[in-house]
Amino acid sequence: MNYQWYPGHMTKAKRMMEENIKLIDLIIEVVDARIPLASRNPDIDELGKNKARLILLNKSDLADERENEKWTGYFQDRGAFVVKMNAKTGAGVKNVLPVIMESCKEKIERDRRRGIKNRPVRAMVVGIPNVGKSTFINAFAGKACTKTGNKPGVTKGKQWIRINKNVELLDTPGILWPKFEDQVIGAKLAMTGSIRDEILNLEELSLELLGYLHYYYDGILEKRYGITESDDRVDMLEQIARNRRCIQRGNELDYGRAANILLEEFRNGKIGRITLERVETEVDTEQKEEK
Ligand code: G4P
């Protein structure tokens, strides 16, 4: 399968990001806890190399709690602050403010030494589409917060949301483009619903998902769909089609419908809390690359 992204969008998004990054102290990067690496664009590390970083492990309600803990450690080991959350219900959102203050301690101290008092920390939320940036901004900023108008030195039209006297947030998130060089990454983004379904071959995608589920969560498909699991992914899809009565005209099995059911139920957490990426695999790869 070939996953596409549009170069025009990329250039525009990158330019906006570069402009906005100059204005802020802290980058709040939202990632999807089910695919913490595939859902980030590593170019942000270069773009924001002199800024403090807070990673929000969002949709943690859909991801495996054990893996959430491991990914928290992974990003912390690489110098980021991390908060695990569910932006949709607001769970974990209250932990964000104290961590922002902690992550900008050095800046606040530096300001104090220079005699600058009460300059708020400025932050921008970034992330690829669909990770929950807007949901987070709404949950974090709430309705009670006042938007501050244009200020000198701020690109015209930019709005800041004043969270409290110490923190301001750029009201529009920075959109990063997913990294599409790697088809495995494309597939993971598609599975979690970050790429529009119309451009995808859903049957092929569902076979890939079946492979992951059987490999990482042996028994989970048997429990949900009453099938016998094996490495034969087509056979598993066929069993799902049969057990869920996906039949089309001529009494043929409807694989398309079975694929839809599987993807839909995975995306809304009905199959279980699932993480498709493992810290161990990632660290192994990093070590091999270093050699
Ligand atoms: P974006 O700005 O980064 O593009 O993402 P957005 O906030 O629009 O969120 C994308 C989808 O993800 C929304 O679902 C949103 O409700 C859901 N979402 C965001 N954060 C979480 C979370 O922590 N957990 C879960 N389970 N879902 C989350 P939608 O399908 O567009 O709408 P709806 O299902 O909420 O109606």
Side-chain angles (χ1 to χ4, degrees), residues 58-59 61-62 85-88 128-135:
N58 194 35
K59 307 201 183 185
D61 54 308
L62 298 173
M85 66 174 200
N86 173 351
K88 204 166 161 176
I128 67 164
N130 214 37
V131 285
K133 297 179 296 298
S134 315
T135 312

Side-chain angles (χ1 to χ4, degrees), residues 61-74:
D61 54 308
L62 298 173
D64 186 334
E65 190 52 26
R66 248 187 34 208
E67 305 305 321
N68 286 341
E69 288 305 316
K70 288 191 206 161
W71 281 111
T72 300
Y74 173 91

Side-chain angles (χ1 to χ4, degrees), residues 5 7-20 47 174-177:
W5 192 249
H9 290 175
M10 264 163 57
T11 321
K12 193 166 165 228
K14 190 167 180 184
R15 205 179 310 124
M16 275 185 60
M17 194 76 63
E18 280 162 353
E19 270 176 27
N20 288 336
L47 279 169
I175 299 172
L176 297 167
W177 54 102

